[in-house]
Amino acid sequence: PVFVPDSTPPAPVTNLAAGEPGSNTMRLTWTAPGDDGSTGWVARYELRYSTAPITEAGFAAATPAPAPDPQTAGSSESVEVAGLAFSTTYYFALKAFDEVDNPGPISNVASATTLGIPDLSAVPTSFFQELLTGATATQTLTLKNDGAGTLDFTIPAPGLPV
């Protein structure tokens, strides 16, 4: 068969929603549009965000964010945008592109505010234990977040002092 590029753009995403805020993350959900209007499978998404409302004219100036690989038309799509600032309102919009890079129109613009800064408290605030070779000890650390924000952390592998 001969491949004939089409000029029919993907349908717009009309139900982009922002929710499940974190201190520096936001979950976005929408329904996958079609490649040619409302049928088929789009080739890719371009997702953008800003601290100001996004318009068709200002779409390219908004900050790009990683988007998932598209699914078939009508499927539920979801992505978590990370690297956002605390207590900040963000606006999100996306466009779908077909296999010959025809862009669909800008989606509806979804907005939401990230949570505040986490407030970490630890009990006890430090540990000390002297052990003989081969001996073991157990100590408990209690971490608590008294703030509105999400507390994301990693604990590095223990090592000997240098």
Side-chain angles (χ1 to χ4, degrees), residues 75-143:
S75 298
S76 295
E77 301 277 24
S78 176
V79 68
E80 184 175 82
V81 178
L84 305 175
F86 299 121
S87 301
T88 303
T89 299
Y90 285 97
Y91 298 85
F92 303 90
L94 64 84
K95 287 186 177 188
F97 291 78
D98 69 12
E99 75 281 356
V100 292
D101 229 26
N102 289 319
I106 188 173
S107 69
N108 64 295
V109 177
S111 67
T113 303
T114 53
L115 299 178
I117 298 172
D119 182 12
L120 174 66
S121 62
V123 176
T125 57
S126 65
F127 290 107
F128 179 79
Q129 184 78 49
E130 288 187 26
L131 298 173
L132 297 174
T133 302
T136 62
T138 300
Q139 296 184 14
T140 301
L141 170 66
T142 302
L143 297 177

Side-chain angles (χ1 to χ4, degrees), residues 21-24 86-87 114-119 145-152:
S23 290
N24 60 0
F86 299 121
S87 301
T114 53
L115 299 178
I117 298 172
D119 182 12
N145 178 13
D146 291 319
T150 52
L151 178 62
D152 301 315

Side-chain angles (χ1 to χ4, degrees), residues 23-48:
S23 290
N24 60 0
T25 61
M26 188 68 62
R27 170 120 350 243
L28 302 177
T29 58
W30 66 94
T31 301
D35 166 20
D36 295 320
S38 59
T39 62
W41 191 319
V42 300
R44 69 180 176 90
Y45 293 117
E46 191 171 305
L47 174 61
R48 301 210 170 233

